[in-house]
Amino acid sequence: MINKIRMAELTSEEARQALTAEAVVLLPMGSLEDQGIHAPMGDYLAADLMAVEIAKAARAEGVATFVAPVIPFGGRDYFDSSHGGISISHATLCGILDDMFACLNRHGIRKVMIVNGHGGNVPAITEVTLRWRQKAGLFVPSMYLWQVAYGELPGLIGPEQAAKSSGHGGDPLTSVGLHFYPDLLRPDLIRPAPEGAEIKGLAISGFNTVTVDGARIQVPIEALEATETGAFGCDPTLCSAETGDRLVARLAAIGATLVRDHVAPGLHD
């Protein structure tokens, strides 16, 4: 098996030899938005590195796994208020995914898995993967990293701490960042998320919700109106590189199992 993992590093001859019908390709996706005033905006950095970790773990199981170039811009949502952030429309993101699937499918590369790091990408992923299943029998699973991580955190650090540290701008991404690229974070800026934000006399309960008589109601607000620090509903001071180490190992194991037992054998209709 060739040592190179990233598709971009393959020569054209290496690609012809390595990217066969048996190869698995991981497609990392993320965003460029406010991840908390202490953290780098590009969560696609973590998604890309996480895809490499999954590929390494899958290769250790004997599966030829490669990582496609990351899609760095996320689907547009309430994080458009992030200063310096760049997002793209749902239609544009669908178009990018469509074109990538078409190119891979043309060359017989049909064992594909998405490694996603942004909630705003989910609608486009759902639309495009369903379309390709219907028209070409392509069955592409998507591992939404942080959604999986939220479910794993209580078992890794305990339910009580997980409840306090989990949230946008906190766990899992801040701890994962402390594992992958600690030099890019600003520990001096880490502080608990602000509370008590309101809009039009209503208590803000999420990045696109308010609370009315105990019920959460969706409203057209932006992230900056919910929190001035990018963190919401969590205490990022509880995040740590140790938690990040454990999360990365667990996510890599889950991803490699999915690749080995399901993607590599073929999931086509």
Side-chain angles (χ1 to χ4, degrees), residues 6-30:
R6 295 186 181 277
M7 289 174 63
E9 296 176 359
L10 298 173
T11 70
S12 59
E13 180 58 28
E14 289 171 339
R16 280 188 283 268
Q17 294 180 8
L19 297 178
T20 67
E22 297 306 310
V24 171
V25 169
L26 305 182
L27 171 56
M29 306 174 62

Side-chain angles (χ1 to χ4, degrees), residues 256-267:
T257 297
L258 180 57
V259 169
R260 181 196 66 206
D261 294 347
H262 302 285
V263 181
L267 288 168

Side-chain angles (χ1 to χ4, degrees), residues 7 19-21 23-27 66-69 96-114 132 138 140:
M7 289 174 63
L19 297 178
T20 67
V24 171
V25 169
L26 305 182
L27 171 56
F66 298 86
V67 177
I96 292 171
L97 286 170
D98 257 328
D99 287 348
M100 294 183 78
F101 282 13
C103 290
L104 294 172
N105 188 60
R106 174 184 178 180
H107 297 291
I109 304 167
R110 292 170 55 82
K111 296 178 179 180
V112 181
M113 185 175 96
I114 293 172
W132 275 88
L138 206 61
V140 180

Side-chain angles (χ1 to χ4, degrees), residues 169-230:
D171 274 333
L173 190 54
T174 290
S175 287
V176 169
L178 288 168
H179 167 83
F180 278 135
Y181 35 75
D183 292 345
L184 297 183
L185 277 87
R186 290 281 304 276
D188 58 306
L189 295 178
I190 298 177
R191 61 178 186 266
E195 299 178 351
E198 293 187 352
I199 188 167
K200 299 186 181 298
L202 299 167
I204 294 176
S205 54
F207 286 117
N208 67 339
T209 62
V210 295
T211 299
V212 177
D213 197 19
R216 297 184 71 175
I217 308 297
Q218 287 189 316
V219 292
I221 59 177
E222 295 189 288
L224 192 58
E225 295 175 301
T227 169
E228 62 184 14
T229 69

